[in-house]
Amino acid sequence: MDIYIIDKTESVINKYLAEMRDVNVQKDRMRFRRNIERIGELMAYEVSKTLSYSPKTVTTPLGDARVSLPSDDIVVGTILRAGLPMHAGVLNVFDDAENCFASAYRAYNDNHEVEVHLGYASTPDLDGKVLILADPMLATGISMVQTINQLMKYGRPRHVHILSIIGARPGVEYVRKNLTGIEASLWVASVDPVLNADAYIVPGLGDAGDLAFGVKN
Protein backbone atom coordinates (compact mmCIF):
# COMPACT_ATOMS: atom_id res chain seq x y z
CA MET A 1 0.00 0.00 0.00
CA ASP A 2 1.24 3.47 -0.91
CA ILE A 3 0.79 6.04 1.88
CA TYR A 4 0.78 9.77 1.11
CA ILE A 5 0.90 12.31 3.95
CA ILE A 6 -0.08 15.65 2.47
CA ASP A 7 1.23 18.06 5.13
CA LYS A 8 4.79 16.84 4.62
CA THR A 9 4.69 19.38 1.79
CA GLU A 10 3.51 22.88 2.69
CA SER A 11 0.22 23.83 1.05
CA VAL A 12 -2.97 25.78 1.67
CA ILE A 13 -4.48 22.56 3.08
CA ASN A 14 -2.65 23.43 6.32
CA LYS A 15 -4.74 26.61 6.66
CA TYR A 16 -8.02 24.74 6.38
CA LEU A 17 -6.75 22.03 8.70
CA ALA A 18 -5.71 24.58 11.32
CA GLU A 19 -9.19 26.13 11.25
CA MET A 20 -10.80 22.70 11.65
CA ARG A 21 -8.67 21.99 14.73
CA ASP A 22 -9.18 25.42 16.34
CA VAL A 23 -11.78 25.23 19.14
CA ASN A 24 -12.89 28.81 18.42
CA VAL A 25 -13.29 28.44 14.65
CA GLN A 26 -15.05 25.09 15.17
CA LYS A 27 -18.03 26.99 16.57
CA ASP A 28 -18.84 28.01 12.98
CA ARG A 29 -20.44 24.78 11.82
CA MET A 30 -20.84 25.96 8.23
CA ARG A 31 -17.14 26.85 7.99
CA PHE A 32 -16.18 23.48 9.47
CA ARG A 33 -18.15 21.67 6.78
CA ARG A 34 -16.75 23.92 4.06
CA ASN A 35 -13.17 23.25 5.18
CA ILE A 36 -13.79 19.50 5.01
CA GLU A 37 -15.19 20.00 1.52
CA ARG A 38 -12.22 22.13 0.37
CA ILE A 39 -9.68 19.62 1.67
CA GLY A 40 -11.65 16.90 -0.14
CA GLU A 41 -11.33 18.88 -3.37
CA LEU A 42 -7.58 19.38 -2.97
CA MET A 43 -6.94 15.75 -2.05
CA ALA A 44 -9.01 14.63 -5.04
CA TYR A 45 -6.75 16.76 -7.24
CA GLU A 46 -3.72 14.93 -5.84
CA VAL A 47 -5.38 11.58 -6.55
CA SER A 48 -6.12 12.71 -10.12
CA LYS A 49 -2.38 12.70 -10.84
CA THR A 50 -2.29 8.92 -10.36
CA LEU A 51 -5.17 7.99 -12.68
CA SER A 52 -5.08 6.62 -16.22
CA TYR A 53 -5.50 9.09 -19.10
CA SER A 54 -6.30 8.81 -22.79
CA PRO A 55 -5.78 11.41 -25.54
CA LYS A 56 -8.90 13.03 -26.94
CA THR A 57 -9.61 15.60 -29.60
CA VAL A 58 -11.81 18.56 -28.67
CA THR A 59 -13.19 20.85 -31.36
CA THR A 60 -12.98 24.56 -30.56
CA PRO A 61 -14.50 27.42 -32.61
CA LEU A 62 -11.09 27.81 -34.29
CA GLY A 63 -9.83 24.27 -34.68
CA ASP A 64 -9.02 21.04 -32.89
CA ALA A 65 -7.15 20.65 -29.59
CA ARG A 66 -5.61 17.47 -28.20
CA VAL A 67 -6.13 16.86 -24.50
CA SER A 68 -5.60 13.95 -22.11
CA LEU A 69 -8.70 13.02 -20.14
CA PRO A 70 -9.15 10.56 -17.27
CA SER A 71 -10.15 7.17 -18.62
CA ASP A 72 -10.89 5.32 -15.37
CA ASP A 73 -14.42 4.52 -14.27
CA ILE A 74 -14.53 6.25 -10.88
CA VAL A 75 -16.80 5.61 -7.91
CA VAL A 76 -16.73 8.16 -5.08
CA GLY A 77 -17.80 6.74 -1.74
CA THR A 78 -18.06 7.79 1.87
CA ILE A 79 -18.95 6.52 5.31
CA LEU A 80 -21.97 8.24 6.84
CA ARG A 81 -22.31 10.80 8.40
CA ALA A 82 -19.07 12.73 8.93
CA GLY A 83 -17.87 11.87 5.44
CA LEU A 84 -20.66 13.71 3.62
CA PRO A 85 -18.89 17.11 3.22
CA MET A 86 -15.66 15.41 2.11
CA HIS A 87 -17.61 13.28 -0.35
CA ALA A 88 -19.09 16.48 -1.78
CA GLY A 89 -15.61 17.96 -2.22
CA VAL A 90 -14.28 14.89 -4.02
CA LEU A 91 -17.41 14.82 -6.19
CA ASN A 92 -16.82 18.47 -7.13
CA VAL A 93 -13.63 17.29 -8.83
CA PHE A 94 -14.84 13.95 -10.23
CA ASP A 95 -18.24 15.34 -11.11
CA ASP A 96 -19.29 12.54 -13.44
CA ALA A 97 -18.38 9.71 -11.04
CA GLU A 98 -20.75 7.10 -9.72
CA ASN A 99 -21.33 7.12 -5.96
CA CYS A 100 -21.55 4.74 -3.05
CA PHE A 101 -22.46 5.17 0.61
CA ALA A 102 -21.97 3.01 3.68
CA SER A 103 -22.85 3.44 7.34
CA ALA A 104 -20.67 2.44 10.27
CA TYR A 105 -20.70 3.40 13.91
CA ARG A 106 -18.53 2.67 16.90
CA ALA A 107 -19.58 1.20 20.22
CA TYR A 108 -17.76 0.03 23.32
CA ASN A 109 -17.96 -3.45 24.80
CA ASP A 110 -17.82 -4.29 28.51
CA ASN A 111 -14.03 -3.96 28.45
CA HIS A 112 -14.31 -0.48 26.89
CA GLU A 113 -12.84 -1.79 23.66
CA VAL A 114 -14.00 -0.26 20.39
CA GLU A 115 -16.36 -2.33 18.26
CA VAL A 116 -17.53 -1.23 14.82
CA HIS A 117 -21.03 -2.00 13.57
CA LEU A 118 -21.82 -1.82 9.87
CA GLY A 119 -25.24 -1.17 8.44
CA TYR A 120 -26.53 0.42 5.27
CA ALA A 121 -24.62 0.13 1.99
CA SER A 122 -25.62 1.53 -1.42
CA THR A 123 -23.18 1.09 -4.28
CA PRO A 124 -22.94 0.45 -8.00
CA ASP A 125 -20.95 -2.46 -9.41
CA LEU A 126 -17.34 -1.83 -8.38
CA ASP A 127 -15.67 -4.43 -10.59
CA GLY A 128 -12.61 -3.02 -12.37
CA LYS A 129 -13.32 0.57 -11.28
CA VAL A 130 -11.36 3.06 -9.19
CA LEU A 131 -12.98 3.51 -5.78
CA ILE A 132 -12.22 6.74 -3.92
CA LEU A 133 -13.46 6.33 -0.34
CA ALA A 134 -13.47 9.50 1.78
CA ASP A 135 -13.80 9.71 5.57
CA PRO A 136 -12.38 12.71 7.47
CA MET A 137 -11.05 10.83 10.52
CA LEU A 138 -8.99 7.64 10.50
CA ALA A 139 -8.77 6.70 14.18
CA THR A 140 -8.47 2.97 14.79
CA GLY A 141 -8.82 2.12 11.10
CA ILE A 142 -11.25 -0.67 11.93
CA SER A 143 -14.33 0.92 10.34
CA MET A 144 -12.41 1.72 7.15
CA VAL A 145 -11.12 -1.84 6.70
CA GLN A 146 -14.48 -3.41 7.53
CA THR A 147 -16.32 -1.03 5.19
CA ILE A 148 -13.99 -1.83 2.29
CA ASN A 149 -14.32 -5.54 2.95
CA GLN A 150 -18.10 -5.15 2.92
CA LEU A 151 -18.00 -3.21 -0.36
CA MET A 152 -15.95 -5.97 -2.00
CA LYS A 153 -19.20 -7.98 -2.13
CA TYR A 154 -20.27 -5.59 -4.90
CA GLY A 155 -17.26 -6.14 -7.18
CA ARG A 156 -13.50 -5.87 -7.02
CA PRO A 157 -12.13 -2.39 -7.81
CA ARG A 158 -8.96 -2.03 -9.84
CA HIS A 159 -7.65 0.35 -7.18
CA VAL A 160 -8.95 1.83 -3.91
CA HIS A 161 -7.92 5.32 -2.80
CA ILE A 162 -8.65 6.02 0.87
CA LEU A 163 -8.84 9.73 1.73
CA SER A 164 -8.75 10.99 5.33
CA ILE A 165 -8.05 14.43 6.71
CA ILE A 166 -6.58 13.41 10.08
CA GLY A 167 -5.27 9.95 10.83
CA ALA A 168 -3.83 8.46 13.98
CA ARG A 169 -0.57 6.58 13.57
CA PRO A 170 -2.12 3.37 15.01
CA GLY A 171 -5.01 3.63 12.54
CA VAL A 172 -2.69 4.17 9.59
CA GLU A 173 -0.71 1.09 10.60
CA TYR A 174 -3.89 -0.95 11.10
CA VAL A 175 -5.10 -0.15 7.58
CA ARG A 176 -1.67 -0.87 6.10
CA LYS A 177 -1.49 -4.30 7.77
CA ASN A 178 -5.10 -5.42 7.44
CA LEU A 179 -6.22 -4.20 4.02
CA THR A 180 -4.75 -7.01 1.99
CA GLY A 181 -5.32 -8.61 -1.37
CA ILE A 182 -6.27 -5.37 -3.14
CA GLU A 183 -4.36 -2.51 -4.78
CA ALA A 184 -4.83 0.48 -2.48
CA SER A 185 -3.41 3.87 -1.59
CA LEU A 186 -3.94 5.85 1.60
CA TRP A 187 -3.98 9.65 1.49
CA VAL A 188 -3.92 11.52 4.82
CA ALA A 189 -3.67 15.29 5.20
CA SER A 190 -2.00 14.97 8.62
CA VAL A 191 -1.05 12.12 10.96
CA ASP A 192 -1.34 12.53 14.74
CA PRO A 193 0.59 10.32 17.16
CA VAL A 194 -1.91 8.59 19.46
CA LEU A 195 -5.45 7.63 20.40
CA ASN A 196 -6.92 8.32 23.83
CA ALA A 197 -8.76 5.78 26.00
CA ASP A 198 -11.97 6.38 24.03
CA ALA A 199 -10.15 5.80 20.71
CA TYR A 200 -10.29 9.46 19.66
CA ILE A 201 -7.33 10.98 17.82
CA VAL A 202 -5.04 13.20 19.91
CA PRO A 203 -4.64 16.11 19.34
CA GLY A 204 -7.15 15.53 16.54
CA LEU A 205 -10.12 17.89 16.47
CA GLY A 206 -12.93 16.16 18.34
CA ASP A 207 -15.96 14.44 16.79
CA ALA A 208 -16.07 15.50 13.14
CA GLY A 209 -19.70 14.37 12.70
CA ASP A 210 -20.90 16.37 15.69
CA LEU A 211 -18.93 19.44 14.62
CA ALA A 212 -20.33 19.27 11.10
CA PHE A 213 -23.95 18.38 11.82
CA GLY A 214 -24.65 18.81 15.53
CA VAL A 215 -24.40 16.62 18.61
CA LYS A 216 -26.20 13.29 18.31
CA ASN A 217 -28.17 11.51 21.04
Side-chain angles (χ1 to χ4, degrees):
M1 172 182 286
D2 294 321
I3 299 176
Y4 303 92
I5 302 174
I6 305 297
D7 70 354
K8 286 189 173 181
T9 302
E10 303 292 2
S11 76
V12 71
I13 285 180
N14 290 345
K15 175 181 182 294
Y16 307 141
L17 184 56
E19 290 183 355
M20 288 179 63
R21 291 187 189 267
D22 191 309
V23 294
N24 295 308
V25 183
Q26 284 181 350
K27 296 174 183 177
D28 186 342
R29 193 173 296 159
M30 182 173 66
R31 188 168 190 83
F32 187 84
R33 291 194 302 269
R34 179 61 181 129
N35 281 332
I36 294 178
E37 183 178 1
R38 289 195 285 194
I39 292 176
E41 292 170 345
L42 292 169
M43 294 183 75
Y45 169 73
E46 295 297 325
V47 171
S48 76
K49 299 175 185 179
T50 72
L51 300 177
S52 300
Y53 287 79
S54 298
K56 302 290 182 182
T57 299
V58 177
T59 301
T60 81
L62 301 176
D64 292 333
R66 294 285 284 174
V67 297
S68 290
L69 299 178
S71 55
D72 292 304
D73 291 324
I74 297 172
V75 178
V76 177
T78 196
I79 301 174
L80 303 173
R81 64 179 170 149
L84 288 172
M86 195 173 184
H87 176 271
V90 176
L91 196 59
N92 287 343
V93 175
F94 301 111
D95 55 5
D96 56 353
E98 296 179 284
N99 293 266
C100 76
F101 302 89
S103 67
Y105 67 93
R106 64 165 64 187
Y108 300 94
N109 62 25
D110 293 338
N111 296 321
H112 203 68
E113 297 168 330
V114 176
E115 295 180 344
V116 173
H117 298 271
L118 303 177
Y120 172 87
S122 175
T123 178
D125 179 15
L126 298 175
D127 209 37
K129 299 176 182 178
V130 172
L131 173 62
I132 302 174
L133 189 58
D135 192 21
M137 310 298 285
L138 184 69
T140 65
I142 297 172
S143 60
M144 181 60 70
V145 170
Q146 291 190 7
T147 296
I148 292 173
N149 288 338
Q150 181 187 39
L151 291 175
M152 292 305 100
K153 300 175 183 177
Y154 302 94
R156 194 163 195 82
R158 183 178 67 79
H159 198 99
V160 176
H161 293 277
I162 303 165
L163 276 58
S164 289
I165 295 176
I166 299 178
R169 190 170 291 118
V172 170
E173 282 302 303
Y174 183 89
V175 171
R176 184 183 66 82
K177 292 178 180 178
N178 290 278
L179 193 61
T180 58
I182 187 169
E183 291 293 324
S185 301
L186 174 61
W187 303 75
V188 187
S190 187
V191 177
D192 288 353
V194 295
L195 299 169
N196 67 13
D198 293 319
Y200 281 93
I201 302 171
V202 179
L205 51 74
D207 189 306
D210 287 357
L211 290 166
F213 299 112
V215 177
K216 58 188 175 295
N217 288 330

